[in-house]
């Protein structure tokens, strides 16, 4: 059986400060925070390469200088990588247009574009195949969600052709579909050059609606496999756990899928219990009797005996005291949480902060 054709090159949009992850780290952009043992961006690059993409241009902005030293020319991933940095924020469409000079494709060739904040199991080959077979100008990955009120809606006709782009619905009558824009596209190369240059442009609010108004063919492909927006720390922790457990597919996970991923040089006490896709980073230390479920402990962190952690993100070099309980917490790099604390429900401890022993106990007063 012949494999579906694939776009030979792609644009990866890596922008935004990721401020909702800011308590975790001061100088590391979200795409470089480890997920399942490697920078999150590695999973996206590896999946694109596995689908046959060879050339990727990274459209970067905030802290862009960290990407090239880590990934270089992409040879270690079997890719040819290039980097283009925005001087000023340009939005999604502006960022795409800003890298056009680095593309090698002809005017009618497909160019894959995907978003650095999305973890997905999208069948990339199927999206490109849909684009080719439908002769579309732009094809969009759509996914279905149970509650679409937080998203813009993308209704399609019986053939999958996009009929509208609707802002976030405010009333039940406005929810005409459960399909939303999932953040991956295939563009006909010539349409990238048609995006206005040198100014901010939103593909969602300007480019796509403008193309529809002009009569262009926008094709939707609904792929309801794994999809997660990593915009919050809780989502990032969940995504990392899902990668470890194999729910989110990635060829870049450094080990077998299962309940835990313990990286080289980490020390875990024999009676510690790690479950739910927990990741223990290099050089981290996990003490006796510790229980960790569905959490990420980054490099060099220390969790002292008897601590109980669930759904939490522990920054590099942080220390969690004995018998401390964390649930849904984000502990910044280098922070110290003393013994016998109880932190729950989205609490954030900033980088290098120190919380004394027995300082906080959670109570719902129920």
């Amino acid at each position: 059986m012949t494999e579906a054709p694939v776009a030979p090159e792609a644009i990866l949009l890596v922008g935004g400060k990721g401020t909702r992850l800011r308590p975790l780290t001061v100088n590391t952009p979200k795409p470089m925070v480890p997920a399942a043992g490697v920078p999150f961006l590695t999973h996206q690059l590896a999946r694109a390469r596995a689908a046959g993409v060879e050339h990727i241009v990274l459209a970067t902005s905030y802290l862009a200088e960290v990407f090239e030293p880590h990934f270089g020319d992409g040879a270690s991933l079997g890719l040819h990588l290039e980097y283009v940095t925005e001087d000023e924020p340009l939005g999604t469409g502006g960022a795409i247009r800003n890298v056009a000079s680095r593309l090698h494709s002809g005017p009618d060739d497909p160019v894959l574009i995907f978003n650095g904040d999305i973890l997905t199991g999208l069948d990339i080959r199927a999206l490109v195949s849909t684009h080719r077979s439908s002769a579309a100008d732009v094809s969009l990955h759509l996914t279905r969600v149970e509650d679409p009120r937080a998203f813009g809606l993308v209704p399609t006709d019986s053939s999958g052709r996009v009929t509208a782009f609707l802002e976030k619905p405010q009333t039940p009558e406005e929810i005409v579909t459960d399909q939303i824009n999932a953040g991956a596209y295939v563009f006909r190369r010539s349409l990238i050059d048609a995006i206005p240059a040198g100014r901010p442009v939103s593909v969602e609010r300007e480019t796509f609606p403008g193309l529809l108004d002009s009569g262009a063919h926008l094709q939707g492909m609904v792929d309801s496999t794994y999809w997660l927006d990593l915009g919050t720390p809780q989502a990032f922790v969940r995504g990392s756990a899902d990668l470890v457990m194999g729910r989110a597919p990635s060829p870049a996970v450094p080990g077998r899928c299962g309940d835990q991923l313990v990286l080289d040089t980490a020390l875990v006490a024999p009676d510690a219990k790690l479950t739910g896709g927990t990741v223990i980073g290099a050089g981290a230390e996990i003490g006796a009797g510790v229980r960790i479920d569905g959490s990420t402990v980054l490099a060099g962190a220390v969790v002292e005996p008897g601590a109980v952690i669930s759904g939490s993100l522990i920054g590099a070099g942080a220390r969690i005291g004995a018998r401390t309980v964390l649930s849904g917490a984000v502990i910044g790099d280098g922070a110290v949480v003393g013994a016998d604390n109880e932190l729950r429900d989205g609490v954030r401890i900033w980088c290098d902060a120190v919380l004394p022993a027995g300082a906080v106990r959670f109570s719902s007063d129920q």
Side-chain angles (χ1 to χ4, degrees):
M1 181 176 178
T2 303
E3 288 187 314
V6 71
E9 61 181 347
I11 299 170
L12 175 54
L13 303 175
V14 189
K17 296 185 178 181
T19 52
R20 285 176 288 180
L21 275 178
R22 191 180 167 203
L24 175 67
T25 179
V26 174
N27 293 316
T28 303
K30 179 167 56 179
M32 295 299 288
V33 176
V38 297
F40 170 66
L41 207 61
T42 307
H43 299 290
Q44 294 181 305
L45 295 171
R47 290 197 73 249
R49 182 66 191 98
V53 176
E54 299 172 351
H55 175 223
I56 298 180
V57 184
L58 275 69
T60 66
S61 55
Y62 177 66
L63 289 175
E65 66 274 7
V66 306
F67 299 111
E68 189 167 4
H70 183 87
F71 293 108
D73 64 2
S76 63
L77 293 169
L79 289 164
H80 173 214
L81 298 182
E82 295 188 65
Y83 306 83
V84 176
T85 302
E86 300 171 9
D87 295 325
E88 298 292 338
L90 294 173
T92 47
I96 293 167
R97 179 64 179 86
N98 195 45
V99 308
S101 63
R102 302 295 185 91
L103 298 174
H104 307 151
S105 302
D108 292 327
D109 290 337
V111 177
L112 174 69
I113 299 169
F114 53 114
N115 192 306
D117 286 345
I118 302 296
L119 179 61
T120 176
L122 167 68
D123 186 337
I124 295 172
R125 289 184 180 275
L127 180 62
V128 178
S129 179
T130 295
H131 178 80
R132 292 182 187 273
S133 63
S134 64
D137 295 300
V138 178
S139 297
L140 298 86
H141 171 209
L142 307 179
T143 193
R144 292 190 172 98
V145 294
E146 289 186 8
D147 184 358
R149 289 176 295 177
F151 304 94
L153 308 184
V154 187
T156 55
D157 65 16
S158 59
S159 69
R161 188 160 181 161
V162 174
T163 59
F165 290 90
L166 306 176
E167 291 298 319
K168 297 175 182 178
Q170 303 299 311
T171 66
E173 292 75 21
E174 292 176 319
I175 303 176
V176 298
T177 180
D178 58 358
Q179 296 174 178
I180 67 167
N181 178 356
Y185 322 112
V186 179
F187 270 65
R188 187 189 303 275
R189 170 69 177 85
S190 59
L191 291 185
I192 293 175
D193 293 324
I195 297 173
R199 69 169 176 85
V201 179
S202 166
V203 292
E204 300 86 357
R205 293 187 294 274
E206 181 176 347
T207 304
F208 292 156
L211 286 171
L212 272 188
D213 289 344
S214 71
H217 179 177
L218 276 67
Q219 186 73 19
M221 188 193 83
V222 178
D223 184 319
S224 296
T225 55
Y226 187 93
W227 184 86
L228 184 66
D229 183 340
L230 300 181
T232 66
Q234 281 74 22
F236 199 90
V237 171
R238 176 184 160 194
S240 180
D242 288 345
L243 284 162
V244 172
M245 299 186 76
R247 297 182 183 130
S250 170
V253 176
R256 294 182 178 179
C257 294
D259 262 351
Q260 60 182 264
L261 173 63
V262 179
L263 298 185
D264 292 344
T265 72
L267 300 176
V268 179
D271 64 345
K273 187 175 182 180
L274 311 177
T275 58
T278 287
V279 180
I280 307 299
E285 299 179 20
I286 309 300
V290 167
R291 289 182 288 150
I292 306 179
D293 180 63
S295 300
T296 294
V297 179
L298 296 183
V302 175
V303 181
E304 296 181 355
V308 179
I309 299 171
S310 63
S312 297
L313 188 55
I314 313 300
R319 178 177 288 270
I320 308 302
R323 298 171 302 281
T324 281
V325 175
L326 303 179
S327 178
V330 177
I331 311 300
D333 292 350
V336 176
V337 178
D340 299 307
N341 280 292
E342 184 179 1
L343 307 178
R344 296 182 182 273
D345 294 346
V347 69
R348 309 285 187 266
I349 304 298
W350 289 84
C351 294
D352 300 317
V354 177
L355 189 65
V360 176
R361 178 185 179 276
F362 176 86
S363 173
S364 65
D365 293 325
Q366 297 298 316

